[in-house]
Amino acid sequence: MSEDLWSLCRSTSEVQRMCDQLRLSDAAGTTTREQERECRLHRAALAQRHLAAAAITRSDPQEAREDAELTATMLWKHDTLHGSHRGPLPATHPHWKLTNLGDYVRQEAVAAGLHP
């Protein structure tokens, strides 16, 4: 297995751990906006990576595309509502459309120091 695939597996495991922690936090009523955003950002960045790797992972490209679009939209909506972007263009900037939210995810992932 290539290093890229190992990295993708490790990232998938880490995001799953973050999602599990978020569920526990939600159940306890202790979730913060920042915690929710971090999970959404990591999940959206991971979905972009899965989309890019769909051919080598033998994933369904349509499912990968739908997941990437859904998670990008969730991050963008969260940032639009809370003004919580870190990249140069805020989520409310007219540049962002439903057709280029993958670019928004990449902008935010880079700003957070993640592998987009």
Side-chain angles (χ1 to χ4, degrees):
M1 186 179 289
S2 73
E3 181 58 34
D4 287 341
L5 286 178
W6 276 115
S7 174
L8 188 60
C9 288
R10 284 191 301 272
S11 295
T12 301
S13 178
E14 177 64 19
V15 168
Q16 184 60 54
R17 185 191 61 75
M18 289 176 76
C19 290
D20 290 345
Q21 287 179 334
L22 187 63
R23 278 189 214 96
L24 290 173
S25 181
D26 282 346
T30 59
T31 301
T32 65
R33 287 181 188 164
E34 293 80 18
Q35 180 185 15
E36 185 177 1
R37 183 189 192 273
E38 182 179 1
C39 189
R40 287 178 190 256
L41 173 60
H42 282 261
R43 178 68 184 87
L46 179 63
Q48 293 294 320
R49 289 181 65 194
H50 275 282
L51 176 59
I56 59 174
T57 60
R58 296 186 181 150
S59 301
D60 180 342
Q62 183 60 33
E63 283 183 22
R65 185 174 296 103
E66 289 171 3
D67 188 46
E69 289 171 359
L70 175 65
T71 57
T73 300
M74 291 172 63
L75 173 66
W76 176 71
K77 284 181 178 180
H78 182 276
D79 285 356
T80 298
L81 182 63
H82 300 293
S84 51
H85 74 284
R86 293 184 187 156
L89 293 180
T92 56
H93 192 279
H95 173 75
W96 303 121
K97 312 262 187 277
L98 290 176
T99 57
N100 69 349
L101 292 183
D103 293 338
Y104 180 74
V105 170
R106 284 185 282 284
Q107 169 192 278
E108 294 303 302
V110 167
L114 301 177
H115 183 282

